[in-house]
């Protein structure tokens, strides 16, 4: 037992030293002090985008910002080898949202799936996501749960996909779709326009499935610089994106900074070692894609 304690202590010291030496800012602590919580609804399979109603037909209000988590315990902090771990139950749709906005950064985190799923996704793949450049009000998109943003998808078999949230749009290096096919990301291909006011409406499939077997931790990286971004999964480039923007009153507006959200979306998921650092340029190994 003493040996195990010494090994755990050594790992914690090594991890902390590595973070500090490389100017990484840890974003997780035991009190979630860097984050707000937002909970919307326990969505049901019948949800169609309209405001949910109770059994008496009355419109339901979302649970709200920084309220309700004590009751539902959707977001819970645990500890693994003295490293803070965020457990997201998924029972209620919503997100944790950084209190700070970020621009030009390298984000790293580790994520693994739990075991539980909830309505309306009991018979669907486990789902979560990183929303970046998040701005405006909570509940701005179809599920009335998240902010206007760009999504780095976290879904079984689909880690690294792109989804538009609310009125966002972006360009992605990808193969053009045909018929019912989705565009498929590949850095060898030209950029295509995706999202609001574009012919391709808001989804691009990741280049490859870089995900590790269920139960193992996956390391994700998101690099953002002046509207360009790269989705990296366990060291593999899943997607290359540029010209991040959103549409307001028919006009495209750059979307190059904002908050970061981690979704609660009907599946149990765990996050740890969430850290971020500011960058002044794209790393050389990735700049060639732009």
């Amino acid at each position: 037992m003493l040996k195990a304690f010494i090994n755990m202590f050594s790992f914690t010291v090594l991890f902390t030293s590595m973070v500090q030496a490389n100017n990484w800012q840890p974003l997780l602590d035991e009190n979630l002090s860097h984050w707000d919580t937002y909970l919307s609804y326990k969505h049901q399979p019948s949800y169609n985008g309209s405001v949910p109603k109770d059994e008496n037909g009355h419109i339901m209000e979302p649970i709200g910002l920084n309220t309700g988590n004590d009751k539902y315990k959707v977001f819970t902090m645990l500890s693994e080898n003295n490293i803070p771990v965020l457990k997201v139950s998924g029972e209620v749709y919503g997100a944790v949202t950084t209190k700070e906005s970020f621009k030009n950064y390298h984000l790293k985190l580790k994520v693994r799936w739990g075991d539980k799923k909830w309505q309306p996704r009991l018979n669907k793949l486990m789902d979560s996501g990183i929303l970046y450049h998040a701005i405006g009000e909570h509940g701005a998109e179809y599920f009335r749960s998240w902010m206007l943003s760009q999504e780095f998808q976290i879904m079984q078999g689909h880690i690294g996909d792109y989804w538009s949230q609310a009125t966002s749009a972006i360009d992605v290096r990808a193969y053009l779709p045909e018929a019912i096919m989705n565009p498929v990301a590949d850095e060898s291909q030209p950029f295509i326009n995706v999202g609001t006011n574009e012919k391709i409406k808001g989804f691009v499939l990741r280049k490859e499935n870089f995900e590790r077997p269920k139960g193992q931790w996956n390391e994700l990286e998101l690099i953002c610089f002046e509207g360009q971004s790269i989705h990296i999964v366990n060291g593999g480039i899943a997607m290359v994106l540029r010209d991040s923007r959103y549409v307001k009153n028919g006009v495209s507006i750059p979307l190059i900074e904002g908050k970061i959200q981690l979704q609660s979306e009907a599946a149990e998921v765990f996050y740890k070692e969430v850290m971020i650092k500011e960058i002044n340029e794209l790393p050389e190994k990735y700049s060639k894609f732009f």
Side-chain angles (χ1 to χ4, degrees):
M1 182 175 291
L2 177 60
K3 183 177 180 180
F5 174 79
I6 292 172
N7 289 339
M8 181 178 69
F9 178 77
S10 299
F11 172 81
T12 304
V13 170
L14 179 63
F15 172 73
T16 303
S17 300
M18 180 191 70
V19 168
Q20 293 174 344
N22 291 282
N23 297 317
W24 290 97
Q25 175 190 351
L27 292 179
L28 277 185
D29 58 34
E30 61 183 5
N31 298 313
L32 270 180
S33 62
H34 296 283
W35 305 80
D36 290 317
T37 64
Y38 183 81
L39 296 174
S40 60
Y41 304 98
K42 289 186 176 183
H43 284 308
Q44 299 302 311
S46 59
Y47 181 71
N48 62 5
S50 301
V51 179
K53 296 180 179 179
D54 63 21
E55 61 272 14
N56 297 315
H58 300 140
I59 287 177
M60 298 172 61
E61 294 294 326
I63 294 169
L65 181 65
N66 294 324
T67 186
N69 195 49
D70 289 343
K71 176 180 178 181
Y72 294 101
K73 300 189 184 307
V74 175
F75 308 110
T76 307
M77 291 306 302
L78 309 173
S79 179
E80 179 184 271
N81 295 328
N82 283 349
I83 300 297
V85 176
L86 171 63
K87 174 187 174 183
V88 181
S89 77
E91 183 178 4
V92 182
Y93 274 53
V96 291
T97 306
T98 57
K99 295 179 179 178
E100 184 179 350
S101 290
F102 298 96
K103 177 184 179 183
N104 298 340
Y105 59 84
H106 188 167
L107 175 74
K108 283 186 178 183
L109 59 78
K110 291 182 179 178
V111 62
R112 71 170 176 85
W113 299 113
D115 297 315
K116 294 183 179 179
K117 293 193 288 187
W118 309 88
Q119 293 287 14
R121 301 191 58 83
L122 282 175
N123 299 312
K124 297 182 179 181
L125 297 172
M126 302 189 89
D127 200 0
S128 185
I130 304 167
L131 307 184
Y132 59 101
H133 302 335
I135 62 171
E137 299 296 321
H138 295 268
E141 43 51 73
Y142 177 83
F143 285 103
R144 302 174 181 270
S145 301
W146 308 302
M147 301 165 75
L148 190 166
S149 56
Q150 311 289 15
E151 181 172 356
F152 182 142
Q153 170 80 299
I154 300 174
M155 177 190 274
Q156 287 178 304
H158 288 267
I159 299 181
D161 288 356
Y162 168 78
W163 277 101
S164 164
Q165 292 292 346
T167 64
S168 66
I170 207 161
D171 299 344
V172 184
R173 286 195 180 275
Y175 287 98
L176 285 168
E178 293 184 22
I180 64 170
M181 297 189 302
N182 297 116
V184 178
D186 193 290
E187 62 269 25
S188 70
Q189 296 302 298
F191 284 98
I192 62 174
N193 311 125
V194 180
T196 301
N197 276 8
E198 306 296 346
K199 291 182 179 180
I200 301 172
K201 298 301 181 184
F203 173 76
V204 179
L205 187 69
R206 80 288 179 274
K207 176 185 176 182
E208 296 180 41
N209 181 12
F210 296 111
E211 185 178 351
R212 292 172 180 153
K214 188 179 176 184
Q216 296 185 21
W217 289 99
N218 294 279
E219 183 169 357
L220 311 188
E221 299 176 67
L222 170 65
I223 301 175
C224 296
F225 186 76
E226 298 297 337
Q228 302 165 334
S229 54
I230 304 171
H231 297 183
I232 302 169
V233 180
N234 294 318
I237 298 173
M239 192 169 296
V240 174
L241 313 92
R242 73 174 184 188
D243 193 16
S244 175
R245 58 196 182 273
Y246 69 101
V247 177
K248 184 175 182 179
N249 298 325
V251 178
S252 290
I253 301 169
L255 182 60
I256 61 175
E257 64 180 302
K259 297 183 177 183
I260 296 167
Q261 298 189 287
L262 303 178
Q263 293 176 308
S264 172
E265 194 172 359
E268 183 181 56
V269 63
F270 297 85
Y271 291 93
K272 71 175 183 177
E273 297 176 28
V274 182
M275 62 187 84
I276 195 167
K277 70 175 178 180
E278 185 179 359
I279 60 174
N280 297 315
E281 60 183 357
L282 280 172
E284 185 176 353
K285 65 186 291 187
Y286 301 118
S287 60
K288 63 184 179 181
F289 299 124
F290 300 97

